[in-house]
Amino acid sequence: MILPAVRERLDAVLRHPSLEGALGALRDGAQHVSLSGLHDVAKALLAAYLTHELRRPAFFITDSNRRAEALAETVRFFSNVFPGISGGIATLPAFDTLPWESQSPHADILERRAATLFRLTDGQVSLVIAPVQAALWRYQDATLYLSLARTFTKDAEVPLEEFIEHLAGVGYTRTEMVELPGQFAMRGGIVDVFSAEAPRPVRIELLGDTVESVREFDPRTQRSIAPFQPVPPSLSSVGCEPSTTR
């Protein structure tokens, strides 16, 4: 909740002639508009405001993953002032390794990138906050990222072997027991999957190739909790960005 006195101060900032001029120029199709002298809190406020006013996806470029995460929290706070973008803010972290290095990027970075790219191409994100290293990466066509997801509903037909191949192909790791995001396990007609976008893993029960149920479960006890929401449940890719290059 924004206090009336605070909202009044914010409105005064947003009515500044320089900002009104920049917004008008962007609405008229300007390719480049510059505002200087802004600290990070003001930048976060303007990012939320301009995204709301222009009604189109936007990128907020920063210099590092750490700064992107810090700014994201501030932008989310200001997004409460402008209805329509709250929840539509995501970070796209840069890899923590270079392309020629032998080690793989950290799994958490892979998971967060996969979730953001899917949400962005699916139209769920209004503002992406990313360090310049991530912004310079060459990405695939949006349809490819959408194809990395699978949606399940009760009584749907899901070829089990094809689904297992899909999970392995998009970066999930097969384990005996699912405990962390990016893992899956299979026992007979039951497939456990922990998506990077979900707070808890899900258990998909199949009768042949027909989905009987999709339920959340506790990774510590391995016991089912409740039917997965929202419906239909969606499982998106983890850690896979095929054929990306600098």
Side-chain angles (χ1 to χ4, degrees):
M1 177 181 177
I2 305 297
L3 296 174
V6 176
R7 179 57 190 260
E8 184 178 342
R9 288 293 185 91
L10 294 178
D11 288 341
V13 172
L14 299 176
R15 290 194 301 268
H16 192 281
S18 296
L19 178 55
E20 289 183 336
L23 178 59
L26 291 171
R27 283 174 169 163
D28 291 338
Q31 296 298 309
H32 182 268
V33 174
S34 178
L35 292 172
S36 60
L38 301 175
H39 51 68
D40 279 359
V41 174
K43 291 176 181 178
L45 171 62
L46 264 59
Y49 175 65
L50 293 175
T51 301
H52 171 262
E53 290 295 317
L54 295 173
R55 304 290 182 178
R56 58 176 181 255
F59 281 82
F60 189 157
I61 306 302
T62 70
D63 59 356
S64 68
N65 284 346
R66 179 177 295 181
R67 190 154 177 246
E69 290 295 331
L71 284 166
E73 292 303 313
T74 310
V75 174
R76 289 189 181 102
F77 170 78
F78 284 126
S79 71
N80 294 320
V81 181
F82 312 110
I85 70 170
S86 181
I89 300 167
T91 57
L92 182 65
F95 292 119
D96 58 345
T97 60
L98 296 172
W100 55 84
E101 293 180 338
S102 58
Q103 65 266 37
S104 298
H106 194 280
D108 181 61
I109 289 178
L110 293 174
E111 293 162 7
R112 287 159 56 203
R113 284 177 62 88
T116 295
L117 288 170
F118 172 77
R119 292 180 60 210
L120 178 63
T121 54
D122 195 43
Q124 301 177 28
V125 174
S126 300
L127 177 63
V128 176
I129 304 173
V132 65
Q133 298 96 321
L136 291 175
W137 198 263
R138 183 179 298 172
Y139 294 94
Q140 297 288 336
D141 186 84
T143 56
L144 177 62
Y145 297 106
L146 290 174
S147 71
L148 299 179
R150 290 291 186 271
T151 300
F152 298 88
T153 56
K154 190 178 186 307
D155 299 327
E157 292 294 321
V158 179
L160 181 57
E161 292 302 321
E162 188 274 336
F163 176 49
I164 297 302
E165 292 177 3
H166 168 79
L167 290 173
V170 299
Y172 282 88
T173 300
R174 186 165 184 170
T175 60
E176 292 297 321
M177 183 181 298
V178 169
E179 298 175 303
L180 299 171
Q183 296 179 340
F184 80 96
M186 178 181 172
R187 302 180 306 282
I190 297 176
V191 182
D192 293 344
V193 185
F194 202 154
S195 169
E197 291 187 285
R200 286 185 291 266
V202 296
R203 178 160 291 149
I204 306 166
E205 298 185 42
L206 299 103
L207 181 61
D209 287 340
T210 303
V211 176
E212 289 287 292
S213 67
V214 182
R215 301 177 63 84
E216 291 181 317
F217 69 91
D218 188 328
R220 294 170 299 179
T221 64
Q222 296 293 304
R223 293 183 177 179
S224 296
I225 299 173
F228 183 65
Q229 299 294 335
V231 177
S234 176
L235 301 176
S236 59
S237 60
V238 171
C240 184
E241 295 175 45
S243 304
T244 51
T245 57
R246 291 279 187 182

